[in-house]
mmCIF file of all heavy atoms in Angstrom:
data_model
loop_
_atom_site.group_PDB
_atom_site.id
_atom_site.type_symbol
_atom_site.label_atom_id
_atom_site.label_comp_id
_atom_site.label_asym_id
_atom_site.label_seq_id
_atom_site.Cartn_x
_atom_site.Cartn_y
_atom_site.Cartn_z
ATOM 1 N N TRP H 546 5.563 -2.397 -8.783
ATOM 2 C CA TRP H 546 6.274 -3.361 -7.948
ATOM 3 C C TRP H 546 5.433 -4.617 -7.735
ATOM 4 O O TRP H 546 5.946 -5.726 -7.800
ATOM 5 C CB TRP H 546 6.637 -2.720 -6.600
ATOM 6 C CG TRP H 546 7.594 -1.585 -6.739
ATOM 7 C CD1 TRP H 546 8.958 -1.655 -6.798
ATOM 8 C CD2 TRP H 546 7.268 -0.190 -6.894
ATOM 9 N NE1 TRP H 546 9.503 -0.412 -6.950
ATOM 10 C CE2 TRP H 546 8.497 0.529 -7.006
ATOM 11 C CE3 TRP H 546 6.071 0.517 -6.910
ATOM 12 C CZ2 TRP H 546 8.546 1.906 -7.160
ATOM 13 C CZ3 TRP H 546 6.124 1.900 -7.070
ATOM 14 C CH2 TRP H 546 7.348 2.574 -7.183
ATOM 15 N N ALA H 547 4.142 -4.431 -7.534
ATOM 16 C CA ALA H 547 3.246 -5.573 -7.376
ATOM 17 C C ALA H 547 3.180 -6.391 -8.653
ATOM 18 O O ALA H 547 3.139 -7.626 -8.620
ATOM 19 C CB ALA H 547 1.849 -5.091 -6.975
ATOM 20 N N LEU H 548 3.160 -5.724 -9.802
ATOM 21 C CA LEU H 548 3.104 -6.434 -11.078
ATOM 22 C C LEU H 548 4.354 -7.269 -11.312
ATOM 23 O O LEU H 548 4.261 -8.446 -11.691
ATOM 24 C CB LEU H 548 2.920 -5.452 -12.231
ATOM 25 C CG LEU H 548 2.895 -6.112 -13.621
ATOM 26 C CD1 LEU H 548 1.686 -7.024 -13.765
ATOM 27 C CD2 LEU H 548 2.919 -5.070 -14.727
ATOM 28 N N ILE H 549 5.511 -6.682 -11.098
ATOM 29 C CA ILE H 549 6.756 -7.421 -11.316
ATOM 30 C C ILE H 549 6.847 -8.616 -10.371
ATOM 31 O O ILE H 549 7.312 -9.696 -10.751
ATOM 32 C CB ILE H 549 7.984 -6.493 -11.163
ATOM 33 C CG1 ILE H 549 7.988 -5.440 -12.272
ATOM 34 C CG2 ILE H 549 9.279 -7.288 -11.165
ATOM 35 C CD1 ILE H 549 7.996 -5.997 -13.681
ATOM 36 N N ASP H 550 6.374 -8.438 -9.137
ATOM 37 C CA ASP H 550 6.347 -9.547 -8.183
ATOM 38 C C ASP H 550 5.423 -10.660 -8.677
ATOM 39 O O ASP H 550 5.759 -11.850 -8.593
ATOM 40 C CB ASP H 550 5.885 -9.040 -6.814
ATOM 41 C CG ASP H 550 5.898 -10.132 -5.746
ATOM 42 O OD1 ASP H 550 6.975 -10.712 -5.508
ATOM 43 O OD2 ASP H 550 4.828 -10.401 -5.165
ATOM 44 N N GLU H 551 4.257 -10.279 -9.214
ATOM 45 C CA GLU H 551 3.304 -11.255 -9.742
ATOM 46 C C GLU H 551 3.885 -11.992 -10.949
ATOM 47 O O GLU H 551 3.740 -13.215 -11.070
ATOM 48 C CB GLU H 551 2.005 -10.539 -10.139
ATOM 49 C CG GLU H 551 0.830 -11.458 -10.404
ATOM 50 C CD GLU H 551 -0.476 -10.688 -10.561
ATOM 51 O OE1 GLU H 551 -0.677 -9.693 -9.840
ATOM 52 O OE2 GLU H 551 -1.297 -11.089 -11.411
ATOM 53 N N ILE H 552 4.548 -11.260 -11.827
ATOM 54 C CA ILE H 552 5.188 -11.869 -12.988
ATOM 55 C C ILE H 552 6.263 -12.859 -12.556
ATOM 56 O O ILE H 552 6.372 -13.970 -13.092
ATOM 57 C CB ILE H 552 5.782 -10.784 -13.911
ATOM 58 C CG1 ILE H 552 4.663 -10.004 -14.592
ATOM 59 C CG2 ILE H 552 6.727 -11.403 -14.943
ATOM 60 C CD1 ILE H 552 5.150 -8.793 -15.382
ATOM 61 N N SER H 553 7.057 -12.467 -11.566
ATOM 62 C CA SER H 553 8.135 -13.324 -11.074
ATOM 63 C C SER H 553 7.595 -14.645 -10.516
ATOM 64 O O SER H 553 8.140 -15.721 -10.789
ATOM 65 C CB SER H 553 8.939 -12.578 -10.004
ATOM 66 O OG SER H 553 9.945 -13.393 -9.460
ATOM 67 N N LYS H 554 6.500 -14.549 -9.759
ATOM 68 C CA LYS H 554 5.899 -15.754 -9.172
ATOM 69 C C LYS H 554 5.396 -16.695 -10.258
ATOM 70 O O LYS H 554 5.568 -17.914 -10.172
ATOM 71 C CB LYS H 554 4.770 -15.367 -8.225
ATOM 72 C CG LYS H 554 5.249 -14.753 -6.917
ATOM 73 C CD LYS H 554 4.083 -14.330 -6.034
ATOM 74 C CE LYS H 554 4.583 -13.715 -4.730
ATOM 75 N NZ LYS H 554 3.453 -13.211 -3.886
ATOM 76 N N LEU H 555 4.756 -16.144 -11.284
ATOM 77 C CA LEU H 555 4.249 -16.980 -12.365
ATOM 78 C C LEU H 555 5.393 -17.578 -13.187
ATOM 79 O O LEU H 555 5.317 -18.730 -13.627
ATOM 80 C CB LEU H 555 3.303 -16.186 -13.263
ATOM 81 C CG LEU H 555 1.917 -15.884 -12.674
ATOM 82 C CD1 LEU H 555 1.065 -15.122 -13.683
ATOM 83 C CD2 LEU H 555 1.191 -17.158 -12.264
ATOM 84 N N ASN H 556 6.452 -16.792 -13.415
ATOM 85 C CA ASN H 556 7.616 -17.330 -14.118
ATOM 86 C C ASN H 556 8.183 -18.541 -13.392
ATOM 87 O O ASN H 556 8.574 -19.536 -14.015
ATOM 88 C CB ASN H 556 8.697 -16.261 -14.256
ATOM 89 C CG ASN H 556 8.392 -15.237 -15.349
ATOM 90 O OD1 ASN H 556 7.591 -15.482 -16.246
ATOM 91 N ND2 ASN H 556 9.035 -14.090 -15.286
ATOM 92 N N ASN H 557 8.211 -18.469 -12.067
ATOM 93 C CA ASN H 557 8.719 -19.581 -11.255
ATOM 94 C C ASN H 557 7.822 -20.817 -11.349
ATOM 95 O O ASN H 557 8.252 -21.927 -11.064
ATOM 96 C CB ASN H 557 8.866 -19.150 -9.797
ATOM 97 C CG ASN H 557 9.980 -18.141 -9.591
ATOM 98 O OD1 ASN H 557 10.932 -18.078 -10.383
ATOM 99 N ND2 ASN H 557 9.885 -17.346 -8.533
ATOM 100 N N GLU H 558 6.558 -20.587 -11.723
ATOM 101 C CA GLU H 558 5.617 -21.695 -11.871
ATOM 102 C C GLU H 558 5.491 -22.166 -13.319
ATOM 103 O O GLU H 558 4.607 -22.935 -13.658
ATOM 104 C CB GLU H 558 4.245 -21.289 -11.339
ATOM 105 C CG GLU H 558 4.252 -21.049 -9.824
ATOM 106 C CD GLU H 558 2.903 -20.586 -9.301
ATOM 107 O OE1 GLU H 558 1.915 -20.753 -10.001
ATOM 108 O OE2 GLU H 558 2.833 -20.059 -8.186
ATOM 109 N N GLY H 559 6.391 -21.680 -14.155
ATOM 110 C CA GLY H 559 6.417 -22.134 -15.541
ATOM 111 C C GLY H 559 5.557 -21.342 -16.498
ATOM 112 O O GLY H 559 5.442 -21.700 -17.678
ATOM 113 N N ILE H 560 4.948 -20.245 -16.030
ATOM 114 C CA ILE H 560 4.151 -19.371 -16.900
ATOM 115 C C ILE H 560 5.040 -18.218 -17.331
ATOM 116 O O ILE H 560 5.307 -17.295 -16.555
ATOM 117 C CB ILE H 560 2.883 -18.839 -16.182
ATOM 118 C CG1 ILE H 560 2.079 -19.979 -15.562
ATOM 119 C CG2 ILE H 560 2.039 -18.015 -17.150
ATOM 120 C CD1 ILE H 560 1.495 -20.946 -16.523
ATOM 121 N N LEU H 561 5.537 -18.263 -18.557
ATOM 122 C CA LEU H 561 6.489 -17.264 -19.022
ATOM 123 C C LEU H 561 5.762 -16.029 -19.545
ATOM 124 O O LEU H 561 4.833 -16.128 -20.344
ATOM 125 C CB LEU H 561 7.385 -17.863 -20.109
ATOM 126 C CG LEU H 561 8.248 -19.058 -19.670
ATOM 127 C CD1 LEU H 561 9.110 -19.547 -20.809
ATOM 128 C CD2 LEU H 561 9.102 -18.708 -18.443
ATOM 129 N N ILE H 562 6.190 -14.867 -19.097
ATOM 130 C CA ILE H 562 5.561 -13.597 -19.460
ATOM 131 C C ILE H 562 6.625 -12.678 -20.039
ATOM 132 O O ILE H 562 7.681 -12.456 -19.433
ATOM 133 C CB ILE H 562 4.888 -12.960 -18.228
ATOM 134 C CG1 ILE H 562 3.795 -13.903 -17.704
ATOM 135 C CG2 ILE H 562 4.291 -11.593 -18.570
ATOM 136 C CD1 ILE H 562 3.336 -13.589 -16.321
ATOM 137 N N ASN H 563 6.358 -12.147 -21.218
ATOM 138 C CA ASN H 563 7.295 -11.250 -21.875
ATOM 139 C C ASN H 563 6.512 -10.219 -22.680
ATOM 140 O O ASN H 563 5.285 -10.166 -22.620
ATOM 141 C CB ASN H 563 8.259 -12.038 -22.784
ATOM 142 C CG ASN H 563 7.498 -12.972 -23.736
ATOM 143 O OD1 ASN H 563 6.547 -12.545 -24.393
ATOM 144 N ND2 ASN H 563 7.912 -14.240 -23.794
ATOM 145 N N ASN H 564 7.232 -9.387 -23.441
ATOM 146 C CA ASN H 564 6.561 -8.322 -24.191
ATOM 147 C C ASN H 564 5.904 -8.825 -25.478
ATOM 148 O O ASN H 564 5.470 -8.023 -26.304
ATOM 149 C CB ASN H 564 7.521 -7.166 -24.493
ATOM 150 C CG ASN H 564 8.731 -7.604 -25.302
ATOM 151 O OD1 ASN H 564 8.887 -8.773 -25.677
ATOM 152 N ND2 ASN H 564 9.613 -6.646 -25.596
ATOM 153 N N GLN H 565 5.807 -10.127 -25.610
ATOM 154 C CA GLN H 565 5.060 -10.710 -26.721
ATOM 155 C C GLN H 565 3.686 -11.212 -26.289
ATOM 156 O O GLN H 565 2.810 -11.444 -27.134
ATOM 157 C CB GLN H 565 5.847 -11.876 -27.341
ATOM 158 C CG GLN H 565 7.186 -11.465 -27.940
ATOM 159 C CD GLN H 565 7.052 -10.409 -29.011
ATOM 160 O OE1 GLN H 565 6.326 -10.588 -29.995
ATOM 161 N NE2 GLN H 565 7.735 -9.278 -28.816
ATOM 162 N N ASN H 566 3.485 -11.383 -24.970
ATOM 163 C CA ASN H 566 2.158 -11.799 -24.497
ATOM 164 C C ASN H 566 1.567 -10.859 -23.460
ATOM 165 O O ASN H 566 0.453 -11.087 -22.993
ATOM 166 C CB ASN H 566 2.173 -13.245 -23.987
ATOM 167 C CG ASN H 566 3.092 -13.459 -22.790
ATOM 168 O OD1 ASN H 566 3.731 -12.538 -22.278
ATOM 169 N ND2 ASN H 566 3.168 -14.701 -22.333
ATOM 170 N N LEU H 567 2.299 -9.797 -23.093
ATOM 171 C CA LEU H 567 1.767 -8.803 -22.163
ATOM 172 C C LEU H 567 2.063 -7.400 -22.683
ATOM 173 O O LEU H 567 3.205 -7.061 -22.993
ATOM 174 C CB LEU H 567 2.377 -8.969 -20.768
ATOM 175 C CG LEU H 567 1.903 -7.933 -19.717
ATOM 176 C CD1 LEU H 567 0.415 -8.069 -19.439
ATOM 177 C CD2 LEU H 567 2.695 -8.077 -18.417
ATOM 178 N N TYR H 568 1.005 -6.575 -22.746
ATOM 179 C CA TYR H 568 1.107 -5.201 -23.198
ATOM 180 C C TYR H 568 0.399 -4.313 -22.165
ATOM 181 O O TYR H 568 -0.715 -4.614 -21.742
ATOM 182 C CB TYR H 568 0.456 -5.010 -24.570
ATOM 183 C CG TYR H 568 1.012 -5.926 -25.642
ATOM 184 C CD1 TYR H 568 0.582 -7.251 -25.743
ATOM 185 C CD2 TYR H 568 1.963 -5.471 -26.537
ATOM 186 C CE1 TYR H 568 1.095 -8.097 -26.717
ATOM 187 C CE2 TYR H 568 2.482 -6.310 -27.523
ATOM 188 C CZ TYR H 568 2.041 -7.617 -27.604
ATOM 189 O OH TYR H 568 2.549 -8.453 -28.566
ATOM 190 N N ILE H 569 1.052 -3.224 -21.788
ATOM 191 C CA ILE H 569 0.494 -2.313 -20.798
ATOM 192 C C ILE H 569 0.330 -0.935 -21.429
ATOM 193 O O ILE H 569 1.247 -0.439 -22.101
ATOM 194 C CB ILE H 569 1.391 -2.209 -19.551
ATOM 195 C CG1 ILE H 569 1.612 -3.591 -18.930
ATOM 196 C CG2 ILE H 569 0.771 -1.276 -18.518
ATOM 197 C CD1 ILE H 569 2.608 -3.596 -17.784
ATOM 198 N N ALA H 570 -0.818 -0.318 -21.213
ATOM 199 C CA ALA H 570 -1.072 1.008 -21.776
ATOM 200 C C ALA H 570 -0.003 1.996 -21.326
ATOM 201 O O ALA H 570 0.254 2.140 -20.127
ATOM 202 C CB ALA H 570 -2.459 1.503 -21.359
ATOM 203 N N GLU H 571 0.615 2.661 -22.285
ATOM 204 C CA GLU H 571 1.688 3.592 -21.946
ATOM 205 C C GLU H 571 1.178 4.796 -21.155
ATOM 206 O O GLU H 571 1.948 5.453 -20.451
ATOM 207 C CB GLU H 571 2.395 4.055 -23.218
ATOM 208 C CG GLU H 571 1.493 4.736 -24.231
ATOM 209 C CD GLU H 571 2.169 4.946 -25.573
ATOM 210 O OE1 GLU H 571 3.363 4.612 -25.699
ATOM 211 O OE2 GLU H 571 1.502 5.424 -26.521
ATOM 212 N N ASN H 572 -0.141 5.063 -21.237
ATOM 213 C CA ASN H 572 -0.734 6.181 -20.504
ATOM 214 C C ASN H 572 -1.398 5.735 -19.203
ATOM 215 O O ASN H 572 -2.169 6.498 -18.616
ATOM 216 C CB ASN H 572 -1.740 6.931 -21.381
ATOM 217 C CG ASN H 572 -2.857 6.041 -21.918
ATOM 218 O OD1 ASN H 572 -2.664 4.853 -22.132
ATOM 219 N ND2 ASN H 572 -4.029 6.630 -22.144
ATOM 220 N N ILE H 573 -1.100 4.537 -18.738
ATOM 221 C CA ILE H 573 -1.649 4.044 -17.473
ATOM 222 C C ILE H 573 -1.048 4.846 -16.318
ATOM 223 O O ILE H 573 0.123 5.228 -16.348
ATOM 224 C CB ILE H 573 -1.367 2.540 -17.310
ATOM 225 C CG1 ILE H 573 -2.303 1.900 -16.303
ATOM 226 C CG2 ILE H 573 0.091 2.270 -16.921
ATOM 227 C CD1 ILE H 573 -2.240 0.367 -16.285
ATOM 228 N N CYS H 574 -1.857 5.121 -15.283
ATOM 229 C CA CYS H 574 -1.387 5.863 -14.114
ATOM 230 C C CYS H 574 -0.852 4.898 -13.062
ATOM 231 O O CYS H 574 -1.397 3.816 -12.854
ATOM 232 C CB CYS H 574 -2.518 6.717 -13.536
ATOM 233 S SG CYS H 574 -3.049 8.047 -14.666
ATOM 234 N N LEU H 575 0.215 5.336 -12.388
ATOM 235 C CA LEU H 575 0.921 4.460 -11.459
ATOM 236 C C LEU H 575 0.475 4.665 -10.009
ATOM 237 O O LEU H 575 0.161 5.786 -9.595
ATOM 238 C CB LEU H 575 2.428 4.699 -11.552
ATOM 239 C CG LEU H 575 3.075 4.504 -12.931
ATOM 240 C CD1 LEU H 575 4.584 4.749 -12.835
ATOM 241 C CD2 LEU H 575 2.778 3.122 -13.500
ATOM 242 N N ILE H 576 0.475 3.564 -9.274
ATOM 243 C CA ILE H 576 0.326 3.606 -7.821
ATOM 244 C C ILE H 576 1.727 3.677 -7.228
ATOM 245 O O ILE H 576 2.575 2.823 -7.492
ATOM 246 C CB ILE H 576 -0.401 2.357 -7.296
ATOM 247 C CG1 ILE H 576 -1.810 2.269 -7.876
ATOM 248 C CG2 ILE H 576 -0.464 2.381 -5.774
ATOM 249 C CD1 ILE H 576 -2.522 0.958 -7.534
ATOM 250 N N LEU H 577 1.972 4.692 -6.412
ATOM 251 C CA LEU H 577 3.270 4.904 -5.792
ATOM 252 C C LEU H 577 3.186 4.677 -4.287
ATOM 253 O O LEU H 577 2.084 4.644 -3.726
ATOM 254 C CB LEU H 577 3.755 6.329 -6.090
ATOM 255 C CG LEU H 577 3.822 6.711 -7.578
ATOM 256 C CD1 LEU H 577 4.257 8.162 -7.724
ATOM 257 C CD2 LEU H 577 4.750 5.776 -8.333
ATOM 258 N N PRO H 578 4.322 4.542 -3.608
ATOM 259 C CA PRO H 578 4.288 4.341 -2.153
ATOM 260 C C PRO H 578 3.472 5.396 -1.415
ATOM 261 O O PRO H 578 2.821 5.098 -0.410
ATOM 262 C CB PRO H 578 5.770 4.398 -1.768
ATOM 263 C CG PRO H 578 6.491 3.916 -2.989
ATOM 264 C CD PRO H 578 5.698 4.428 -4.149
ATOM 265 N N ILE H 579 3.488 6.632 -1.896
ATOM 266 C CA ILE H 579 2.744 7.704 -1.239
ATOM 267 C C ILE H 579 1.244 7.425 -1.232
ATOM 268 O O ILE H 579 0.531 7.804 -0.298
ATOM 269 C CB ILE H 579 3.045 9.071 -1.907
ATOM 270 C CG1 ILE H 579 2.552 10.219 -1.014
ATOM 271 C CG2 ILE H 579 2.399 9.155 -3.312
ATOM 272 C CD1 ILE H 579 3.054 11.590 -1.500
ATOM 273 N N HIS H 580 0.746 6.735 -2.245
ATOM 274 C CA HIS H 580 -0.682 6.456 -2.326
ATOM 275 C C HIS H 580 -1.140 5.479 -1.243
ATOM 276 O O HIS H 580 -2.257 5.585 -0.727
ATOM 277 C CB HIS H 580 -1.035 5.906 -3.709
ATOM 278 C CG HIS H 580 -0.854 6.919 -4.799
ATOM 279 N ND1 HIS H 580 -0.093 6.673 -5.924
ATOM 280 C CD2 HIS H 580 -1.323 8.192 -4.924
ATOM 281 C CE1 HIS H 580 -0.103 7.744 -6.700
ATOM 282 N NE2 HIS H 580 -0.835 8.679 -6.115
ATOM 283 N N LYS H 581 -0.288 4.543 -0.902
ATOM 284 C CA LYS H 581 -0.631 3.599 0.158
ATOM 285 C C LYS H 581 -0.694 4.297 1.514
ATOM 286 O O LYS H 581 -1.551 3.978 2.348
ATOM 287 C CB LYS H 581 0.384 2.453 0.185
ATOM 288 C CG LYS H 581 0.393 1.625 -1.102
ATOM 289 C CD LYS H 581 1.474 0.567 -1.076
ATOM 290 C CE LYS H 581 1.537 -0.166 -2.414
ATOM 291 N NZ LYS H 581 2.600 -1.197 -2.428
ATOM 292 N N ILE H 582 0.197 5.247 1.715
ATOM 293 C CA ILE H 582 0.189 6.019 2.959
ATOM 294 C C ILE H 582 -1.060 6.891 3.032
ATOM 295 O O ILE H 582 -1.725 6.972 4.073
ATOM 296 C CB ILE H 582 1.467 6.869 3.075
ATOM 297 C CG1 ILE H 582 2.700 5.961 3.165
ATOM 298 C CG2 ILE H 582 1.392 7.789 4.294
ATOM 299 C CD1 ILE H 582 4.016 6.704 3.117
ATOM 300 N N ILE H 583 -1.406 7.530 1.924
ATOM 301 C CA ILE H 583 -2.616 8.350 1.883
ATOM 302 C C ILE H 583 -3.858 7.495 2.108
ATOM 303 O O ILE H 583 -4.812 7.911 2.771
ATOM 304 C CB ILE H 583 -2.713 9.114 0.550
ATOM 305 C CG1 ILE H 583 -1.580 10.130 0.414
ATOM 306 C CG2 ILE H 583 -4.063 9.807 0.411
ATOM 307 C CD1 ILE H 583 -1.593 11.223 1.450
ATOM 308 N N ASP H 584 -3.858 6.280 1.584
ATOM 309 C CA ASP H 584 -4.959 5.338 1.801
ATOM 310 C C ASP H 584 -5.155 5.092 3.302
ATOM 311 O O ASP H 584 -6.284 5.106 3.818
ATOM 312 C CB ASP H 584 -4.652 4.022 1.094
ATOM 313 C CG ASP H 584 -5.893 3.381 0.464
ATOM 314 O OD1 ASP H 584 -7.015 3.881 0.703
ATOM 315 O OD2 ASP H 584 -5.733 2.408 -0.294
ATOM 316 N N GLU H 585 -4.047 4.869 3.991
ATOM 317 C CA GLU H 585 -4.078 4.648 5.441
ATOM 318 C C GLU H 585 -4.604 5.881 6.178
ATOM 319 O O GLU H 585 -5.448 5.774 7.079
ATOM 320 C CB GLU H 585 -2.672 4.295 5.921
ATOM 321 C CG GLU H 585 -2.565 4.021 7.409
ATOM 322 C CD GLU H 585 -1.124 3.808 7.850
ATOM 323 O OE1 GLU H 585 -0.242 3.616 6.976
ATOM 324 O OE2 GLU H 585 -0.864 3.870 9.085
ATOM 325 N N VAL H 586 -4.123 7.046 5.776
ATOM 326 C CA VAL H 586 -4.552 8.298 6.392
ATOM 327 C C VAL H 586 -6.050 8.521 6.182
ATOM 328 O O VAL H 586 -6.769 8.930 7.095
ATOM 329 C CB VAL H 586 -3.734 9.489 5.826
ATOM 330 C CG1 VAL H 586 -4.375 10.822 6.210
ATOM 331 C CG2 VAL H 586 -2.293 9.425 6.324
ATOM 332 N N ASN H 587 -6.522 8.240 4.985
ATOM 333 C CA ASN H 587 -7.943 8.401 4.689
ATOM 334 C C ASN H 587 -8.817 7.546 5.603
ATOM 335 O O ASN H 587 -9.845 8.006 6.108
ATOM 336 C CB ASN H 587 -8.230 8.032 3.233
ATOM 337 C CG ASN H 587 -7.724 9.068 2.247
ATOM 338 O OD1 ASN H 587 -7.424 10.199 2.617
ATOM 339 N ND2 ASN H 587 -7.617 8.685 0.981
ATOM 340 N N GLU H 588 -8.416 6.315 5.820
ATOM 341 C CA GLU H 588 -9.189 5.425 6.679
ATOM 342 C C GLU H 588 -9.155 5.886 8.134
ATOM 343 O O GLU H 588 -10.152 5.786 8.846
ATOM 344 C CB GLU H 588 -8.675 3.982 6.571
ATOM 345 C CG GLU H 588 -9.066 3.290 5.272
ATOM 346 C CD GLU H 588 -10.557 2.930 5.211
ATOM 347 O OE1 GLU H 588 -11.357 3.860 4.931
ATOM 348 O OE2 GLU H 588 -10.920 1.778 5.414
#
C-alpha cells in the first residue's frame, strides 16, 4: 500500500512508473497491517 501510494505521488509529479522501469522480486516478503500493530505492541 505504501509503494502504490509512492508511485501515485510520483506519477502526479510527472515521473511515470510502469513494469518497464520497475521490477520487484517475486519472492519479496510483504508488510501487512498486522505487522504495524505488532510493532506497536513490541514498543
Side-chain angles (χ1 to χ4, degrees):
W546 296 275
L548 178 65
I549 294 302
D550 183 58
E551 193 170 322
I552 290 172
S553 177
K554 287 178 180 176
L555 286 182
N556 283 340
N557 291 335
E558 294 177 17
I560 308 295
L561 298 181
I562 299 164
N563 51 49
N564 59 1
Q565 298 302 304
N566 62 1
L567 178 64
Y568 304 81
I569 303 174
E571 58 191 357
N572 57 330
I573 200 170
C574 294
L575 302 181
I576 298 173
L577 305 178
I579 194 169
H580 293 127
K581 297 176 185 179
I582 296 173
I583 295 297
D584 218 352
E585 181 186 346
V586 167
N587 287 344
E588 286 288 79

